């Protein structure tokens, strides 16, 4: 690739289901590189394998990318409604809409005798495969139809015999490329068979469509998962056959994602979709931060990154060859750091949809559903939250009106019930003196601490239990602040009366 070439990268998923972790990593890497270099990010939909199509998959891929904040400059996009649209001057960006283009290039290769129609039936191919297995030979097409004469080909085509088109791979020589992550990769051509470039249904195969499109769309760098390394020599042979090697993109394969045992993520482990993480309540910035670090190492101590920082610091040299470890505990930690940094307003907006689905919230009194109330709750939960689904989960007493506490729950060490009652009364009396307008966290805290003197537990423990009905909870100051003056006094009074 010439150095002055404009950076143009593409994410090219097949619409076969949800966007998974591996796909998100590929999309994100392309995006970070494009933004870092001031280049263009393209979304191309590779839907030529008609048997694997899943209805609605393209929409869901776009939705997941939008959620993650991965913007595109060209290609398939959402129009904000139900359907998709396309933008950019190299379209169409959906491969099934480019059939005519591929046909033209396949015809050219056939004309130049660099490719040939193959009429072998699936039975013949099956027999050939079995024979090869028996003889412990590498599986691959035996070149049977290479030898057909022009007359034979013409007559078979005239008779409408179904056929594919195969690319003629030389039996000698090697194909070499310099992968930007994995370095020099050299393959002997004799191990590559005459691979199919056009299927009998008239659709091109991935190899042909990918090369033609990357060329026509002026792609400068191909970032994709390491599982595509084996396909790259075939692509290079196609670039050579078309005479496009001067403009060939640079290849950059991303290492596999590993599980905690440092094994390649199994299909099941890897089939966690981006939508699942969204539904589980992870902030998009946290998932993006986590996924980005699966692919490259910032080479500094920094672990928490905004998208802007990721863009700024991305470079191909930082991509590590060893796979990144997919560790959900690390995601939870990263997520907690992002939540801590969020403004309470933002946290409110993002977590409210999760809270609204919770029964305890639905059943709560109206004054506990107000923005003001929920924001106060978030203010105190923010420090310990790993995902939005956790809002209120451990502190449901905030939303419930019937807090049940008994004397045992409120007993501080071996004190008597009369001590508990006396301390609750003391707490009640001092809190009652704080007016509605002064009901602030600092005031509540200093008032209760002053009243408790050096016997903190004796006063604070029963007050906290009376307010929450729970053995564990945030501090009584925080709880009283969130609950508000009236409700706090009501709860303490009820506890006093129960003794
Ligand atoms: N359509 C391929 C996929 O589903 C794209 C591979 C590539 O990026 O070349 O991943």
């Amino acid at each position: 690739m010439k150095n002055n070439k404009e950076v143009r990268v593409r994410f090219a998923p097949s619409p076969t289901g949800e966007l998974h972790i591996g796909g998100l990593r590929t999309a994100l890497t392309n995006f970070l590189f494009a933004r870092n270099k001031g280049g263009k990010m393209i979304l191309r939909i590779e839907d030529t394998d008609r048997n694997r199509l899943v209805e609605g998959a393209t929409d869901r891929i776009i939705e997941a990318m939008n959620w993650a904040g991965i913007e595109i400059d060209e290609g398939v996009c959402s129009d904000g409604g139900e359907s998709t649209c396309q933008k950019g001057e190299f379209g169409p960006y959906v491969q099934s809409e480019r059939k005519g283009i591929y046909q033209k290039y396949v015809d050219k290769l056939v004309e130049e005798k660099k490719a040939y129609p193959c009429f072998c039936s699936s039975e013949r191919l099956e027999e050939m495969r079995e024979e090869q297995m028996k003889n412990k030979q590498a599986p691959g097409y035996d070149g049977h139809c290479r030898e057909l004469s022009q007359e034979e080909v013409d007559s078979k085509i005239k008779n409408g015999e179904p056929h594919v088109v195969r690319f003629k791979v030389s039996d000698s020589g090697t194909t070499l490329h310099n992968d930007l992550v994995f370095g020099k990769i050299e393959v002997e051509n004799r191990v590559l068979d005459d691979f199919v470039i056009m299927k009998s249904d008239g659709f091109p195969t991935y190899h042909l469509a990918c090369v033609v499109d990357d060329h026509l769309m002026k792609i400068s760098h191909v970032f994709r998962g390491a599982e595509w390394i084996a396909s790259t020599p075939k692509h290079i042979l196609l670039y050579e056959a078309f005479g496009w090697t001067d403009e060939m993109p640079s290849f950059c394969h991303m290492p596999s994602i590993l599980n905690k045992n440092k094994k390649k993520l199994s299909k099941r482990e890897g089939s966690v979709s981006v939508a699942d993480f969204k539904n589980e309540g992870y902030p998009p910035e946290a998932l993006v931060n986590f996924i980005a670090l699966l692919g490259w190492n910032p080479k500094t101590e920094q672990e928490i990154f905004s998208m802007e920082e990721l863009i700024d610091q991305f470079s191909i040299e930082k991509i590590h060859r060893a796979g990144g470890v997919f560790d959900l505990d690390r995601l939870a930690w990263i997520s907690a750091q992002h939540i801590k940094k969020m403004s309470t307003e933002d946290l409110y907006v993002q977590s409210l949809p999760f809270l609204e689905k919770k029964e305890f919230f639905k059943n709560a009194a109206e004054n506990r559903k107000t923005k003001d109330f929920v924001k106060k709750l978030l203010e105190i939960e923010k420090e310990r939250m790993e995902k939005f689904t956790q809002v209120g989960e451990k502190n449901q007493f905030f939303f419930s009106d019937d807090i049940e506490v008994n004397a045992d729950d409120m007993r501080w060490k071996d004190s008597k019930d009369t001590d508990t009652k006396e301390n609750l009364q003391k707490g009640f009396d001092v809190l009652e003196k704080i007016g509605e307008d002064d009901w602030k966290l600092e005031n509540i805290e200093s008032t209760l601490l002053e009243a408790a003197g050096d016997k903190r537990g004796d006063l604070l423990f029963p007050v906290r239990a009376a307010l929450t009905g729970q053995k564990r909870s945030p501090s009584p100051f925080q709880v009283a602040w969130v609950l508000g003056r009236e409700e706090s006094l009501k709860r303490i009074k009820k506890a006093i009366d129960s003794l």
Side-chain angles (χ1 to χ4, degrees):
M1 193 199 73
K2 295 189 190 74
N3 285 338
N4 54 3
K5 202 161 150 188
E6 188 196 1
V7 165
R8 291 175 55 82
V9 295
R10 85 304 193 273
F11 174 50
S14 299
T16 53
E18 299 291 332
L19 182 63
H20 290 160
I21 288 308
L24 178 66
R25 204 243 330 228
T26 305
L28 181 64
T29 309
N30 276 293
F31 174 71
L32 295 178
F33 183 69
R35 287 287 178 275
N36 179 281
K37 296 282 179 218
K40 296 274 190 301
M41 163 78 175
I42 295 149
L43 175 64
R44 181 170 77 218
I45 298 296
E46 302 205 329
D47 60 346
T48 57
D49 190 347
R50 309 305 285 171
N51 301 321
R52 291 178 60 225
L53 297 189
V54 170
E55 168 108 18
T58 298
D59 298 321
R60 294 209 295 280
I61 291 169
I62 295 174
E63 203 185 309
M65 286 172 69
N66 284 344
W67 176 78
I70 300 175
E71 296 152 8
I72 62 150
D73 304 297
E74 268 176 45
V76 184
C77 46
S78 128
D79 63 0
E82 295 285 282
S83 52
T84 55
C85 53
Q86 298 187 30
K87 58 180 179 187
E89 46 183 309
F90 295 87
Y93 294 89
V94 177
Q95 290 188 328
S96 58
E97 295 172 24
R98 300 171 63 82
K99 266 176 97 176
I101 301 176
Y102 306 126
Q103 185 67 55
K104 207 178 85 195
Y105 285 102
V106 170
D107 290 347
K108 187 170 179 290
L109 291 181
V110 173
E111 246 162 60
E112 294 172 0
K113 306 265 180 268
K114 292 174 179 165
Y116 59 91
C118 167
F119 301 88
C120 289
S121 63
S122 44
E123 290 77 28
R124 177 176 184 273
L125 293 176
E126 192 47 47
E127 270 168 34
M128 180 192 76
R129 222 165 278 138
E130 276 169 20
E131 191 68 17
Q132 287 168 338
M133 294 244 285
K134 225 168 62 197
N135 300 335
K136 304 220 172 354
Q137 287 171 316
Y141 184 62
D142 59 3
H144 181 78
C145 289
R146 261 195 198 196
E147 315 304 332
L148 294 178
S149 68
Q150 192 58 47
E151 291 73 47
E152 281 172 296
V153 170
D154 291 345
S155 101
K156 280 176 186 290
I157 289 186
K158 212 165 125 214
N159 291 339
E161 279 190 40
H163 63 278
V164 300
V165 177
R166 287 183 184 273
F167 182 76
K168 216 183 266 178
V169 180
S170 160
D171 297 325
S172 59
T174 57
T175 299
L176 174 78
H177 87 276
N178 211 346
D179 191 278
L180 294 183
V181 175
F182 289 89
K184 203 168 118 180
I185 297 179
E186 194 167 6
V187 172
E188 287 191 46
N189 291 338
R190 63 179 175 78
V191 303
L192 305 170
D193 67 347
D194 288 355
F195 56 93
V196 176
I197 52 176
M198 181 72 99
K199 293 174 282 184
S200 56
D201 62 3
F203 276 94
T205 56
Y206 154 69
H207 303 304
L208 189 277
C210 169
V211 166
V212 168
D213 287 352
D214 284 347
H215 174 73
L216 295 179
M217 294 177 185
K218 298 195 184 321
I219 299 303
S220 63
H221 296 75
V222 168
F223 288 91
R224 61 185 170 201
E227 66 274 22
W228 299 104
I229 289 183
S231 299
T232 310
K234 297 181 184 172
H235 298 182
I236 291 170
L237 289 173
L238 284 169
Y239 280 101
E240 286 171 358
F242 285 122
W244 294 337
T245 40
D246 279 355
E247 300 114 80
M248 195 159 74
S250 301
F251 293 96
C252 189
H253 289 93
M254 308 285 299
S256 314
I257 300 177
L258 308 176
N259 64 20
K260 269 184 151 177
N261 304 324
K262 301 266 164 84
K263 295 260 156 55
K264 197 168 172 260
L265 221 55
S266 69
K267 262 226 148 46
R268 189 182 47 82
E269 290 169 315
S271 70
V272 205
S273 70
V274 174
D276 289 338
F277 287 100
K278 176 182 173 204
N279 296 337
E280 269 193 53
Y282 288 103
E285 310 82 58
L287 186 65
V288 160
N289 186 160
F290 171 68
I291 294 294
L293 299 187
L294 285 181
W296 57 278
N297 189 326
K299 309 223 161 119
T300 62
E301 294 289 290
Q302 188 176 354
E303 291 180 278
I304 302 304
F305 294 86
S306 66
M307 187 68 103
E308 283 313 309
E309 290 170 319
L310 289 174
I311 290 172
D312 217 47
Q313 299 191 27
F314 181 83
S315 80
I316 295 178
E317 293 73 44
K318 290 178 187 163
I319 297 179
H320 35 66
R321 271 200 216 185
V325 175
F326 187 78
D327 175 359
L328 286 173
D329 293 335
R330 183 156 162 78
L331 170 61
W333 181 81
I334 290 178
S335 183
Q337 311 312 309
H338 277 272
I339 288 179
K340 246 183 246 176
K341 279 175 135 190
M342 271 184 195
S343 72
T344 311
E345 175 67 24
D346 194 14
L347 183 55
Y348 171 78
V349 172
Q350 299 212 51
S351 54
L352 188 64
F354 294 91
L355 189 57
E356 280 174 333
K357 287 199 195 97
K358 300 278 166 81
E359 282 309 309
F360 66 79
F361 186 74
K362 286 189 204 159
N363 299 330
E366 285 312 310
N367 64 357
R368 316 289 158 74
K369 292 183 181 171
T370 63
K371 182 169 180 180
D372 187 50
F373 188 86
V374 175
K375 274 180 82 172
K376 280 186 180 151
L377 170 66
L378 288 169
E379 199 71 58
I380 66 168
E381 286 194 332
K382 202 168 155 177
E383 291 302 310
R384 288 187 207 91
M385 244 166 95
E386 290 171 343
K387 43 190 183 174
F388 303 136
T389 32
Q390 291 169 346
V391 193
E393 200 57 51
K394 287 201 178 127
N395 297 317
Q396 295 183 24
F397 58 85
F398 278 117
F399 298 96
S400 149
D401 269 329
D402 31 37
I403 299 298
E404 294 298 337
V405 271
N406 56 42
D408 288 345
D409 295 337
M410 294 189 282
R411 178 170 301 112
W412 172 247
K413 295 193 172 158
D414 49 9
S415 58
K416 293 195 250 342
D417 289 355
T418 46
D419 299 327
T420 308
K421 191 163 181 163
E422 202 176 294
N423 277 302
L424 283 173
Q425 189 61 51
K426 203 172 182 188
F428 182 91
D429 292 343
V430 292
L431 288 175
E432 201 189 18
K433 292 205 184 79
I434 307 178
E436 188 67 54
D437 291 345
D438 294 326
W439 196 260
K440 304 217 168 67
L441 188 55
E442 322 77 83
N443 292 346
I444 299 167
E445 181 164 357
S446 58
T447 303
L448 282 178
L449 286 179
E450 198 188 28
D454 52 10
K455 293 188 145 197
R456 287 198 176 182
D458 296 74
L459 181 91
L460 300 182
F461 187 82
V463 168
R464 199 195 54 74
L467 292 171
T468 66
Q470 285 193 180
K471 290 207 163 40
R472 301 170 75 90
S473 76
S475 75
F477 327 119
Q478 290 177 315
V479 176
W481 174 63
V482 176
L483 279 176
R485 183 177 185 274
E486 195 187 318
E487 182 65 22
S488 300
L489 292 175
K490 200 171 103 190
R491 289 188 184 190
I492 300 171
K493 179 87 179 54
K494 187 177 160 200
I496 295 170
D497 292 347
S498 76
L499 290 169

